[in-house]
Amino acid sequence: MEIKMVDLKNQYLRIKDEIRKSVDEVLFSSQYIKGRQVEEFEQSLKEYLGVRYAITCANGTDALQIALMSLDLKPNDEVICPSFSFIASAEVIALLGLRPVFVDVDYNNFNTTAKNIKQAISIKTKAIIVVHLFGQSAEMEEILSIAKQYNLYVIEDNAQSFGAESIFSDGSAKKLGTIGNIGCTSFFPTKNLACYGDGGAIFTDDDILAEKLRMIANHGSKQKYNSQRIGVNSRLDTLQAAILQVKLKYLDQYLKKRQEVANIYNNELKNLEQIILPSKSPNSTHTFNQYTIKVMEKKRNDLQTYLKSKNIPTAIYYPIALHKQTALSLVSRKGNEMTNTDRLCSEVLSLPMHTELSIEQQKYITENIKQFFIQEKK
């Protein structure tokens, strides 16, 4: 039995006629940069998310960098971000001469907490990057309250949680990426909404920020050859926009399938005392970009090796925390103790999760996990 961590081929085969038609329209137009499909996709993004501005760019890392550049921060200003995250979250901060300040995350849902953010604030703190990890929201209502209290910008990274909603105490809900000052996302092939290469986007309801963001992504200019501020060259090409426009129509179906896959994992693995299943926060819906278990008693690596021998792929997101990354050691500081982050790095294991995963494949995966622990008891 062949099992993939992410099955992009079979997802493509389901919609290949639409994809090919959309791509052919771009090829025949020959408008590979800033073709009409880019504008159409940005309009579709705005409608789906319920946000005033959607500005596409080359990738998710660029989205974060452009967002920070639009805030006009000064060298050595501090930006708070989680240590349990992909390096892009902090890399862009350091790249701009700012200082990453790492905070611990919640052990149960993997996300930044308002309490940890508040502990890390100093007189130099100017912004918070909130990463909505693995498919669900951080506690945005509380984080927004703290940001307002200390006059801080909030940048959301919903690359793994595109399509999820944060639920507020009054019962209202908003799509992630539309709650803070700026939202950032990635369309990397493994994401919920994924293109066939690199791609990203930035979201805001702020008129002034939107103008800055669009200029920065286009060499700092509104008019060609007239750059008014320092910018970058970061564009979503027309071919990728055409592909994403098709896939956006199916996004809610894809998210429903991911939730169904997660439910099967939950039911099959719920009686195993040696693992902790992913928890769902009451303040969020969940897209399950990853299905990440925690393996107790230092058996994570042994389980991963065993599953590999059964041709079952797994992944560790993330094996090394950001506060332990050599590249960031001299330019960052810790805002609090990283007890949960350090523990998670030694326990987390992500199982195959995608829209094409069959019940038969999941049964094979879960039976082998059970078998591993049966053998361990002997």
Side-chain angles (χ1 to χ4, degrees):
M1 179 179 295
E2 182 183 16
I3 299 175
K4 297 180 179 179
M5 196 70 187
V6 179
D7 189 349
L8 299 172
K9 179 180 178 181
N10 284 311
Q11 187 189 70
Y12 162 71
L13 291 175
R14 292 177 183 271
I15 57 173
K16 67 176 182 179
D17 291 341
E18 291 180 78
I19 293 291
R20 288 179 175 180
K21 181 177 182 294
S22 193
V23 168
D24 277 347
E25 289 176 359
V26 178
L27 296 176
F28 281 113
S29 74
S30 300
Q31 297 297 312
Y32 302 118
I33 304 296
K34 296 185 178 180
R36 66 171 175 81
Q37 288 85 352
V38 176
E39 184 176 348
E40 289 172 357
F41 177 57
E42 289 183 346
Q43 180 62 35
S44 296
L45 281 175
K46 290 191 293 184
E47 293 172 0
Y48 180 82
L49 293 173
V51 69
R52 292 186 64 196
Y53 299 99
I55 299 139
T56 54
C57 59
N59 54 69
T61 305
D62 278 6
L64 288 168
Q65 179 176 326
I66 293 165
L68 283 171
M69 291 174 71
S70 74
L71 303 181
D72 297 319
L73 305 182
K74 302 296 187 292
N76 296 315
D77 281 348
E78 293 184 346
V79 180
I80 294 172
C81 67
S83 186
F84 191 67
S85 181
F86 183 58
I87 194 169
S89 305
E91 186 178 42
V92 293
I93 301 171
L95 189 65
L96 295 173
L98 308 170
R99 191 177 193 190
V101 177
F102 297 122
V103 293
D104 203 9
V105 296
D106 182 86
Y107 180 74
N108 294 315
N109 65 25
F110 311 108
N111 274 323
T112 316
T113 68
K115 178 181 177 181
N116 287 339
I117 288 171
K118 189 169 185 178
Q119 289 177 352
I121 293 172
S122 77
I123 59 172
K124 294 184 177 181
T125 306
K126 296 296 186 293
I128 307 163
I129 292 180
V130 180
V131 181
H132 302 297
L133 206 64
F134 296 160
Q136 64 180 330
S137 177
E139 46 189 33
M140 285 304 296
E141 189 164 13
E142 295 86 350
I143 291 171
L144 288 179
S145 176
I146 289 171
K148 183 178 180 180
Q149 180 182 352
Y150 290 92
N151 195 29
L152 305 177
Y153 291 105
V154 175
I155 298 173
E156 295 177 81
D157 180 345
N158 74 338
Q160 295 185 13
S161 302
F162 193 94
E165 293 182 331
S166 186
I167 303 166
F168 291 81
S169 57
D170 63 0
S172 64
K174 290 194 71 174
K175 286 281 198 300
L176 302 187
T178 71
I179 303 167
N181 300 95
I182 304 173
C184 301
T185 204
S186 166
F187 302 124
F188 187 78
T190 61
K191 300 298 188 268
N192 298 335
L193 179 59
C195 59
Y196 298 156
D198 271 317
I202 315 163
F203 316 108
T204 189
D205 283 323
D206 188 295
D207 297 342
I208 295 174
L209 283 177
E211 183 177 50
K212 288 182 182 180
L213 292 164
R214 197 173 289 281
M215 288 174 63
I216 292 167
N218 186 39
H219 297 287
S221 64
K222 287 190 289 186
Q223 182 179 2
K224 196 171 183 179
Y225 304 126
N226 182 14
S227 295
Q228 296 170 284
R229 59 185 301 141
I230 297 297
V232 296
N233 175 25
S234 186
R235 298 178 294 225
L236 180 71
D237 70 66
T238 311
L239 282 167
Q240 299 298 348
I243 291 163
L244 287 162
Q245 181 76 326
V246 172
K247 295 188 75 176
L248 181 58
K249 295 188 301 181
Y250 296 95
L251 177 60
D252 287 343
Q253 293 179 35
Y254 293 159
L255 299 184
K256 182 179 179 182
K257 174 61 177 178
R258 286 178 176 274
Q259 290 158 357
E260 290 171 354
V261 169
N263 286 337
I264 292 172
Y265 275 139
N266 289 342
N267 289 331
E268 291 294 326
L269 299 174
K270 63 184 178 183
N271 294 324
L272 284 179
E273 297 178 355
Q274 300 91 336
I275 65 174
I276 299 175
L277 302 182
S279 65
K280 184 179 177 299
S281 299
N283 66 320
S284 177
T285 59
H286 206 315
T287 69
F288 288 100
N289 184 252
Q290 305 294 343
Y291 186 89
T292 301
I293 63 174
K294 295 185 280 276
V295 186
M296 302 295 96
E297 299 175 359
K298 299 183 179 180
K299 297 294 183 182
R300 190 266 309 274
N301 293 347
D302 292 339
L303 174 60
Q304 185 177 43
T305 300
Y306 178 81
L307 294 177
K308 184 178 181 181
S309 74
K310 302 297 182 180
N311 297 315
I312 299 172
T314 58
I316 298 173
Y317 307 113
Y318 300 92
I320 305 175
L322 296 186
H323 69 275
K324 292 184 176 179
Q325 296 283 349
T326 303
L328 299 168
S329 60
L330 297 179
V331 296
S332 63
R333 73 172 176 89
K334 292 195 297 182
N336 34 60
E337 291 302 313
M338 300 294 166
T339 307
N340 292 334
T341 294
D342 289 336
R343 184 179 175 189
L344 289 170
C345 287
S346 67
E347 293 180 353
V348 292
L349 188 68
S350 294
L351 304 181
M353 167 57 78
H354 52 81
T355 59
E356 310 308 308
L357 202 60
S358 69
I359 294 176
E360 181 185 14
Q361 288 173 323
Q362 281 195 266
K363 186 73 172 176
Y364 179 75
I365 294 166
T366 55
E367 286 302 316
N368 274 286
I369 293 174
K370 293 173 188 176
Q371 187 61 38
F372 169 80
F373 288 112
I374 289 172
Q375 292 181 10
E376 286 292 304
K377 286 184 178 180
K378 293 180 179 179

